[in-house]
Amino acid sequence: MLSNDCIFCKIIKGEIPSAKVYEDDKMLVFRDIEPKAKVHLLAVAKTHFKLLEEADGNSKDILSYMLFKIPEIAKQNGCDNGYRLIINQGDDAGQTVFHLHIHILGGENLPW
């Protein structure tokens, strides 16, 4: 189920435009509007939940699927030599949108 007050849910519903690079029935991947690397994509679950600890059986299946699809999507978008995945969890981790999403960063040599 999607939320009415979540920016990522609004992007999924098409209420807010995004630079989509991939979409299917389980996930949407689009370019981050404030990139931290040459390639900076956001993979967003099409089910609204905020944190990993909130994942139920269906959400766990979606997360597994997302992790299976990300290598293909990353390579198609210029991450041939590797990429970094980041999932921020909560305020202390810097999570600013409370809809589970995976940052995909690459396209260049990333410093630690």
Side-chain angles (χ1 to χ4, degrees), residues 9 12 16-17 28 37 43 48 55 60 67-68 74 79 81-82 88 101 107 112:
C9 288
I12 291 166
I16 296 174
L28 172 65
H48 181 85
K60 289 177 184 176
L67 290 173
F68 174 77
C79 297
N81 293 322
N88 296 319
H101 57 285
W112 186 245

Side-chain angles (χ1 to χ4, degrees), residues 57-84:
N58 182 52
S59 304
K60 289 177 184 176
D61 290 343
I62 291 170
L63 283 169
S64 175
Y65 175 79
M66 290 173 71
L67 290 173
F68 174 77
K69 289 296 290 182
I70 283 173
E72 173 188 336
I73 296 164
K75 284 187 179 186
Q76 290 173 349
N77 285 277
C79 297
D80 296 325
N81 293 322
Y83 53 92
R84 180 175 298 158

Side-chain angles (χ1 to χ4, degrees), residues 35-40 78-83 105-111:
K36 306 299 184 219
K38 184 176 178 181
V39 175
H40 188 167
C79 297
D80 296 325
N81 293 322
Y83 53 92
L105 293 101
E108 64 184 315
N109 189 335
L110 300 171

Side-chain angles (χ1 to χ4, degrees), residues 4-53:
N4 289 327
D5 59 349
C6 169
I7 190 167
F8 286 169
C9 288
K10 289 178 180 182
I11 290 171
I12 291 166
K13 291 187 275 187
E15 296 172 4
I16 296 174
S18 66
K20 295 179 188 179
V21 298
Y22 179 83
E23 183 174 17
D24 63 25
D25 62 326
K26 294 177 179 64
M27 66 188 285
L28 172 65
V29 182
F30 54 93
R31 299 194 183 285
D32 193 300
I33 61 170
E34 294 181 15
K36 306 299 184 219
K38 184 176 178 181
V39 175
H40 188 167
L41 308 174
L42 297 175
V44 180
K46 284 194 169 179
T47 300
H48 181 85
F49 57 101
K50 298 175 185 178
L51 303 165
L52 288 170
E53 63 199 40

